[in-house]
Amino acid sequence: MIEESKRQREFEARIDLMRERIKDSEDLKVQDEVFDRRVLMDLYALASKGVIESLGGPVSTGKEANIFRAKGEEGADIAVKIYRINTSNFKAMQNYLQGDPRFGSIKGTKRAIIVAWTRKEFRNLTRAEEVGVKVPHPIAMRENILVMEMVGDGENPAPQIKDVALEPEEAQEAFEKIAEYVSLLYNRANLVHADLSEFNILYEDGEPVIIDMGQSVTLEHPMARSFLERDMWNVARHFKKKYGIGSEEAIREKLRAGMKS
Ligand SMILES: Nc1ncnc2c1ncn2[C@@H]1O[C@H](COP(=O)(O)OP(=O)(O)OP(=O)(O)O)[C@@H](O)[C@H]1O
Ligand SMILES: [Mg+2]
């Protein structure tokens, strides 16, 4: 028991430290938006299980979620994604949840929707990883918190692919890998990413890593095909514009090859 309360005190001290760091960073609003009492309790529960050892500063403030660096089991570098309950666009989220047989009947409070969304991202990452797509390994989820492997290291998260300058050969390899991943997701995992672009692909150790799969849908979703078209278009446009390589047709080709094998 003494051990336990000591642990809790230590963890609270770390959260306070993290709050200080966030206060120093540009977005002052983040603190109150993200770290309400429930989030603190859930973070503490994850810490008690040993999933999170300590929390670090912010990596990114996105439209729906905030990402923090953290240390996990045995000091592993992990990323903690916390979906904001109040400022998320949960109406849009509902459109991606409905039509997915895993989540079709989710209704109710904002919180219920966002928790379903978090679970959806966890499951999508799990499925993607199972079929051989390089994604951050999902470690745990609780309520609106997703814990995953940090791509890059604790000090330097890997850059988005839009921010790296690849050699022609590397660009060609990256394009083909991404096309392969679109095909694996579609043909093996029964999934369409649905927000694939140079923003949601990181680049680490000479390889693309696909992130941000909360909105990914199963092929049963009525919009799956048009999401797929948009994903292919985004990827092709980026590589065309920046490197003068790649095309939607080349991705389609991989997709067709993946159907046969
Ligand atoms: N596992 C991770 N490892 C390293 N960096 C990460 C990881 N997950 C997210 N990031 C960083 O945080 C950013 C936002 O993550 P993500 O796209 O999952 O959240 P989001 O809320 O959808 O953000 P946005 O609205 O900007 O798309 C990423 O672009 C990336 O830079
Ligand atoms: Mg994103």
Side-chain angles (χ1 to χ4, degrees), residues 15-31:
I15 286 179
D16 285 341
L17 186 68
M18 177 179 55
R19 285 174 143 171
E20 285 304 315
R21 285 194 199 133
I22 293 164
K23 231 189 286 178
D24 291 339
S25 79
E26 65 267 30
D27 43 352
L28 290 162
K29 262 175 61 203
V30 168
Q31 168 169 238

Side-chain angles (χ1 to χ4, degrees), residues 2-147:
I2 291 172
E3 267 302 292
E4 188 56 28
S5 67
K6 186 165 161 249
R7 242 183 118 161
Q8 173 154 16
R9 272 204 312 280
E10 278 174 13
F11 192 70
E12 277 168 3
R14 289 195 197 109
I15 286 179
D16 285 341
L17 186 68
M18 177 179 55
R19 285 174 143 171
E20 285 304 315
R21 285 194 199 133
I22 293 164
K23 231 189 286 178
D24 291 339
S25 79
E26 65 267 30
D27 43 352
L28 290 162
K29 262 175 61 203
V30 168
Q31 168 169 238
D32 295 333
E33 266 175 27
V34 180
F35 296 103
D36 61 14
R37 213 187 132 62
R38 283 182 86 159
V39 164
L40 292 178
M41 296 300 286
D42 290 323
L43 284 170
Y44 179 65
L46 287 164
S48 302
K49 282 203 213 149
V51 171
I52 301 176
E53 194 204 86
S54 68
L55 265 159
V59 172
S60 149
T61 304
K63 287 185 295 295
E64 337 267 46
N66 296 73
I67 319 267
F68 299 91
R69 316 161 204 275
K71 292 281 179 196
E73 230 162 334
E74 294 177 7
D77 291 314
I78 57 174
V80 178
K81 183 172 187 175
I82 307 177
Y83 281 99
R84 292 189 298 273
I85 303 287
N86 287 315
T87 58
S88 284
N89 186 354
F90 73 104
K91 280 256 158 23
M93 287 177 166
Q94 252 169 332
N95 294 336
Y96 287 82
L97 287 161
Q98 281 158 4
D100 186 323
R102 299 171 300 173
F103 300 94
S105 62
I106 297 286
K107 286 197 192 65
T109 62
K110 266 189 184 185
R111 168 168 285 272
I113 291 162
I114 288 160
V115 171
W117 190 263
T118 311
R119 171 161 303 112
K120 187 156 167 284
E121 177 154 32
F122 186 88
R123 288 174 61 173
N124 289 338
L125 289 171
T126 304
R127 248 159 113 152
E129 187 176 67
E130 278 166 6
V131 300
V133 176
K134 201 162 152 69
V135 295
H137 172 65
I139 297 167
M141 69 142 298
R142 187 181 171 97
E143 295 285 313
N144 54 329
I145 305 172
L146 171 70
V147 181

Side-chain angles (χ1 to χ4, degrees), residues 151 158-161 164 166 170-171 173-174 201-209:
V151 185
Q160 292 166 319
I161 203 160
V164 295
L166 302 175
E170 294 173 318
E173 269 175 37
I201 302 171
L202 306 184
Y203 195 75
E204 182 195 32
D205 298 334
E207 279 195 76
V209 184

Side-chain angles (χ1 to χ4, degrees), residues 105-255:
S105 62
I106 297 286
K107 286 197 192 65
T109 62
K110 266 189 184 185
R111 168 168 285 272
I113 291 162
I114 288 160
V115 171
W117 190 263
T118 311
R119 171 161 303 112
K120 187 156 167 284
E121 177 154 32
F122 186 88
R123 288 174 61 173
N124 289 338
L125 289 171
T126 304
R127 248 159 113 152
E129 187 176 67
E130 278 166 6
V131 300
V133 176
K134 201 162 152 69
V135 295
H137 172 65
I139 297 167
M141 69 142 298
R142 187 181 171 97
E143 295 285 313
N144 54 329
I145 305 172
L146 171 70
V147 181
M148 62 189 140
E149 176 194 352
M150 171 69 83
V151 185
D153 60 45
E155 252 148 67
N156 302 299
Q160 292 166 319
I161 203 160
K162 74 176 178 63
D163 292 326
V164 295
L166 302 175
E167 296 297 328
E169 220 165 275
E170 294 173 318
Q172 187 63 40
E173 269 175 37
F175 174 77
E176 273 163 30
K177 256 278 143 72
I178 295 163
E180 180 67 26
Y181 289 160
V182 170
S183 169
L184 283 173
L185 283 178
Y186 188 90
N187 291 308
R188 299 274 171 83
N190 203 40
L191 284 177
V192 172
H193 184 286
D195 192 20
L196 197 63
S197 76
E198 63 275 26
F199 291 85
N200 284 331
I201 302 171
L202 306 184
Y203 195 75
E204 182 195 32
D205 298 334
E207 279 195 76
V209 184
I210 309 293
I211 62 162
D212 199 3
M213 295 192 72
Q215 71 296 318
S216 305
V217 296
T218 55
L219 304 188
E220 292 88 352
H221 193 285
M223 297 286 286
R225 192 72 213 185
S226 61
F227 292 151
L228 174 69
E229 295 293 333
R230 189 178 61 190
D231 284 356
M232 295 192 295
W233 189 83
N234 282 338
V235 169
R237 190 212 35 171
H238 174 73
F239 280 89
K240 198 100 248 140
K241 199 174 94 191
K242 195 163 173 185
Y243 302 103
I245 61 159
S247 65
E248 272 179 87
E249 192 41 40
I251 307 175
R252 249 178 256 283
E253 196 75 30
K254 287 258 190 208
L255 206 63

